[in-house]
Amino acid sequence: MELKKNIVDKLKFEIYRIDNFVNKLIKKNKQAGLIRLLIFFLTIILFFVVYSIWGTLHSVVTLAMGFIIFGIATQVHNNLTYGLKRITYWKNFKVEQLARAQLDWNNIPFIHEHKINYEHNFSSDLNITGEKSLMHLIDQTVSDDGSRILKSYLTNEKPELQDLIEKQELIRELLPLQNFRNKLLLNIKLSSKNILNSQKLLNSFKSDNNEIKIKKILNILFVLYFLNIVLVLGSIFFHWPSFWSISLLAYIAINWFNIKYISDLYEKVEEVEKDLGVYYNIFNYLENYNYGSNKKLKGFCNVFTNKNTPSLYFKKLKNLDYAFSVQKNDIFVLIFNLIFPWAFFWGFKFEKIKNEIAAHLPVWIQKWNELEAYISLANFAYLNQNYTFPEFTNENCFSAENISHPLLPDDVKISNNFSSSIGEISIITGSNMSGKSTFLKTLGINIALAYAGAPVNAAKMNLNLYRLFTCINITDSLIDGISFFYAEVRRLKKLLDNLKKDNQLPVFYLVDEIFKGTNNVERLIGSKNLILYLSSKNGIGVISTHDLELIKLTDESNKIINYHFREEIRDNKMYFDYKLKQGGSPTTNALKIMILGGLPINE
């Protein structure tokens, strides 16, 4: 808790300092704007005064000097405006960070909305997606693809040990690199106002085979070009007939009839440069960053630092832009293309460079999208330094010390200890509102975090690799004609199917209020049979129930263990400590709640 308080206090102080700086910058920006306007009007006034006294020459010099000073003032004003924009983004970022640390949902942006998948083994039950979810809390990605990758990490159904170790190591390296993480996010937000759509960019680089067509035309034009030179020189020095006029006509005709391949190349170059320019600040930063001893991060980002660096292609595009800029002027177009196949030459260059970029761009973007996801997880670790990275073991057991729910505020969350082994089923009983469902979700969401490579909300957590499965938030469907009970049966059947699969990974399953959709007699029979069946399978189970009869199953199997949550009634009020205790629940509270609610109940 002390670590979290330090982070919160630090963020509040940083926001306070930035606010003071922003206020000063706003004043300077207003002053610079007024000075700029004043210089403009003074220049105009001085021009007419000097013209009326000393004539044209002095007035032109005055005007030129005035515009130079005005240009300098404009540059200063623009720099201040950009600085204000940058520092405003920085402040908003810090406010957002504070909101994430304090679970202030109203100030945490909810940008990437993912459809809830009710068929997934656990995501819909554990608040992985949606508003006020784990994704809402963690997701700092600026692209849809980056957000989808982050979601895939948090909904990992098939964890692999080497993959988890690599994820953890990279997140551990990123955790202290606050400036690296923040500058990347700041650069991309300054470059683009919208959510990045990498697919649009990739589509603009799809090959249309124009390179081959333009190359063929260019080769013909070069032959005619050199032929023109030879024939012109021959006509001048050796008095050859004017054959050059025929070759020149052919040269012009081929240019004219094939102009469709290059007519809009200037616009294409500008569009590609603009779209790619959004990523320039990111790729350039990753290319030139001093990774030092951060070997994992350096290896991860090596696609930006090898010989085919992004900046190399950015420079080539910039040179193309300069070359194509002459296309704006009709006179230059005529002259340049008459004496040299200018447009087709640079058109071929563009298509060649575009195809070269197309070969590297998917890799660059994929790496950046993955890095976005890792940055989000590393930031989550930074804001929650009281959390710990779990340890993965080869032992067939699970243990957690002081485990809590990361989506609960610090001032209300209660931690618990819990351990279990393969084949064991923990039956949790307890009164209504005592904390059974929350505890199941606490276990599940922390396991999901562990399999994303992230730290967990626990003092210590040891676990093997499991296939996580939940049956918690069951809903019926009026549209599909599915009752609540049948929906629950289908979900539990899916659990059995997972347990029957030929898979080395055991299933870690969480079932809340088993068979709550049917009557108590059949519920008890069904629950007993299912629990005993599950205890013989390759898994770890935690099942909550109101049926106190189920605690007697410990007499039939030594793999079944009882736990419970308890409440107290003091001064006609319910009090819960939300602490997990050994054994079956000794109390019930349904009738007590009815009485406290004012219903006519006679015990």
Side-chain angles (χ1 to χ4, degrees):
M1 292 295 291
E2 188 64 29
L3 289 171
K4 173 63 78 67
K5 184 178 182 302
N6 290 341
I7 292 292
V8 168
D9 289 344
K10 181 181 178 183
L11 287 168
K12 286 180 177 178
F13 180 67
E14 287 176 348
I15 292 168
Y16 170 76
R17 287 182 60 190
I18 293 171
D19 267 333
N20 288 337
F21 188 70
V22 165
N23 291 333
K24 291 178 182 177
L25 208 57
I26 289 172
K27 289 180 181 177
K28 286 183 178 180
N29 194 45
K30 287 180 179 178
Q31 290 171 355
L34 290 172
I35 292 170
R36 174 184 168 186
L37 191 63
L38 184 62
I39 290 170
F40 177 78
F41 284 116
L42 280 174
T43 300
I44 300 300
I45 293 168
L46 282 172
F47 169 76
F48 286 109
V49 170
V50 171
Y51 177 77
S52 63
I53 299 174
W54 289 289
T56 304
L57 179 62
H58 291 83
S59 64
V60 169
V61 171
T62 302
L63 188 65
M65 291 180 62
F67 279 134
I68 290 171
I69 296 170
F70 177 76
I72 295 170
T74 300
Q75 186 61 45
V76 171
H77 186 220
N78 289 341
N79 289 342
L80 284 170
T81 301
Y82 179 77
L84 185 58
K85 178 183 176 182
R86 189 178 179 88
I87 198 68
T88 301
Y89 271 116
W90 190 242
K91 178 196 169 181
N92 292 339
F93 177 76
K94 292 295 181 179
V95 170
E96 180 186 316
Q97 289 285 78
L98 181 61
R100 293 183 193 278
Q102 296 183 314
L103 291 182
D104 178 8
W105 297 106
N106 292 330
N107 287 306
I108 302 175
F110 182 60
I111 300 171
H112 307 283
E113 188 169 355
H114 299 276
K115 186 178 180 181
I116 297 175
N117 181 7
Y118 293 99
E119 294 301 314
H120 190 270
N121 281 352
F122 60 84
S123 66
S124 62
D125 284 341
L126 300 180
N127 290 12
I128 303 295
T129 58
E131 288 192 73
K132 299 183 179 180
S133 66
L134 194 60
M135 278 290 291
H136 187 178
L137 178 64
I138 294 177
D139 194 0
Q140 283 189 296
T141 62
V142 290
S143 71
D144 283 330
D145 289 332
S147 184
R148 277 190 287 270
I149 289 172
L150 177 60
K151 179 192 170 187
S152 73
Y153 291 169
L154 292 169
T155 56
N156 187 2
E157 294 181 292
K158 298 176 182 177
E160 297 178 3
L161 183 59
Q162 189 57 39
D163 176 61
L164 295 180
I165 291 172
E166 289 176 2
K167 279 187 171 77
Q168 264 199 16
E169 288 177 347
L170 185 54
I171 292 169
R172 284 178 187 271
E173 275 196 358
L174 281 167
L175 196 158
L177 302 179
Q178 191 182 5
N179 286 337
F180 172 82
R181 293 185 280 106
N182 293 349
K183 283 183 179 179
L184 274 173
L185 293 176
L186 182 63
N187 281 337
I188 194 63
K189 287 183 178 181
L190 285 169
S191 301
S192 176
K193 295 179 181 178
N194 303 317
I195 298 171
L196 291 186
N197 186 344
S198 56
Q199 195 55 52
K200 177 179 177 292
L201 179 61
L202 290 172
N203 288 339
S204 68
F205 279 89
K206 281 186 177 178
S207 176
D208 48 15
N209 295 320
N210 274 355
E211 181 184 351
I212 298 171
K213 296 173 187 174
I214 294 174
K215 186 177 182 181
K216 289 179 180 178
I217 298 165
L218 184 60
N219 287 337
I220 295 170
L221 288 174
F222 266 127
V223 170
L224 291 171
Y225 166 70
F226 287 112
L227 182 60
N228 287 339
I229 293 174
V230 171
L231 293 175
V232 168
L233 291 176
S235 178
I236 294 172
F237 295 105
F238 301 105
H239 307 291
W240 291 354
S242 300
F243 293 128
W244 61 267
S245 60
I246 299 172
S247 63
L248 180 61
L249 186 63
Y251 175 85
I252 294 171
I254 291 172
N255 260 292
W256 176 265
F257 287 112
N258 292 286
I259 198 71
K260 60 184 178 181
Y261 294 115
I262 58 169
S263 59
D264 59 346
L265 276 180
Y266 178 67
E267 289 75 16
K268 283 184 178 179
V269 171
E270 280 195 320
E271 184 180 351
V272 166
E273 189 182 10
K274 180 182 177 183
D275 291 342
L276 200 57
V278 174
Y279 287 90
Y280 176 75
N281 287 335
I282 301 170
F283 293 166
N284 190 56
Y285 186 79
L286 293 172
E287 181 183 331
N288 294 291
Y289 183 74
N290 181 13
Y291 293 93
S293 60
N294 300 299
K295 295 180 180 179
K296 288 291 177 182
L297 182 60
K298 183 177 181 179
F300 184 84
C301 295
N302 64 357
V303 296
F304 301 105
T305 57
N306 59 25
K307 62 179 181 179
N308 295 310
T309 60
S311 63
L312 176 69
Y313 295 101
F314 279 116
K315 288 175 183 176
K316 289 182 178 180
L317 273 178
K318 182 64 70 176
N319 291 336
L320 275 175
D321 190 32
Y322 293 143
F324 270 104
S325 62
V326 300
Q327 300 286 98
K328 291 180 179 180
N329 191 302
D330 292 336
I331 296 175
F332 280 123
V333 169
L334 182 62
I335 295 172
F336 275 71
N337 286 291
L338 192 61
I339 63 175
F340 181 79
W342 180 269
F344 279 94
F345 175 78
W346 289 108
F348 171 70
K349 285 281 188 181
F350 170 66
E351 292 295 335
K352 191 172 184 296
I353 292 168
K354 192 178 80 167
N355 289 336
E356 288 175 359
I357 294 174
H360 299 289
L361 190 60
V363 179
W364 295 339
I365 290 179
Q366 176 66 21
K367 274 295 178 183
W368 161 244
N369 292 153
E370 290 176 19
L371 186 57
E372 284 185 276
Y374 283 121
I375 285 173
S376 293
L377 291 168
N379 185 67
F380 174 73
Y382 172 77
L383 295 176
N384 297 281
Q385 294 181 26
N386 54 316
Y387 290 11
T388 57
F389 284 93
E391 295 181 16
F392 300 103
T393 69
N394 292 322
E395 299 177 9
N396 293 325
C397 63
F398 170 90
S399 66
E401 296 178 12
N402 294 326
I403 190 168
S404 301
H405 201 297
L407 299 183
L408 289 176
D410 291 333
D411 57 347
V412 300
K413 66 173 64 175
I414 302 295
S415 61
N416 281 288
N417 298 332
F418 180 76
S419 62
S420 189
S421 300
I422 297 296
E424 288 185 351
I425 295 179
S426 302
I427 296 179
I428 302 180
T429 50
S431 306
N432 294 292
M433 303 183 296
S434 60
K436 300 188 300 298
S437 300
T438 300
F439 180 70
L440 264 61
K441 292 178 180 179
T442 297
L443 294 176
I445 200 168
N446 279 289
I447 291 173
L449 280 169
Y451 292 158
V456 296
N457 189 183
K460 186 177 181 181
M461 186 166 158
N462 295 311
L463 73 163
N464 205 327
L465 302 184
Y466 312 111
R467 288 172 289 151
L468 183 60
F469 189 93
T470 60
C471 180
I472 298 175
N473 296 327
I474 302 298
T475 57
D476 54 6
S477 174
L478 294 174
I479 297 174
D480 297 328
I482 299 174
S483 69
F484 179 90
F485 177 65
Y486 185 59
E488 184 180 14
V489 168
R490 282 177 48 178
R491 187 70 179 175
L492 290 171
K493 176 61 168 61
K494 188 176 180 181
L495 167 60
L496 296 184
D497 292 341
N498 272 271
L499 286 164
K500 290 176 183 176
K501 283 181 180 177
D502 185 16
N503 195 307
Q504 292 182 344
L505 297 186
V507 179
F508 195 115
Y509 53 94
L510 306 165
V511 181
D512 189 33
E513 302 293 352
I514 186 169
F515 290 133
K516 58 187 170 184
T518 189
N519 64 78
N520 58 346
V521 175
E522 293 175 307
R523 178 172 66 238
L524 185 59
I525 295 171
S527 298
K528 282 183 177 180
N529 283 277
L530 181 62
I531 291 171
L532 289 172
Y533 178 82
L534 291 173
S535 66
S536 65
K537 299 301 175 184
N538 185 28
I540 296 178
V542 184
I543 299 174
S544 72
T545 181
H546 280 297
D547 291 315
L548 297 182
E549 286 292 318
L550 292 178
I551 66 177
K552 297 176 182 178
L553 287 175
T554 53
D555 299 331
E556 300 182 39
S557 173
N558 60 2
K559 293 183 178 180
I560 298 173
I561 303 170
N562 287 318
Y563 294 93
H564 72 276
F565 287 97
R566 193 179 302 174
E567 87 291 338
E568 292 182 20
I569 295 181
R570 299 194 301 267
D571 301 325
N572 289 326
K573 289 183 179 180
M574 303 284 293
Y575 292 93
F576 303 95
D577 62 9
Y578 304 110
K579 300 296 290 185
L580 187 67
K581 298 174 177 64
Q582 293 275 353
S585 174
T587 62
T588 58
N589 71 5
L591 292 177
K592 294 172 184 175
I593 291 176
M594 294 179 196
I595 293 169
L596 290 174
L599 299 182
I601 304 299
N602 293 317
E603 294 185 80

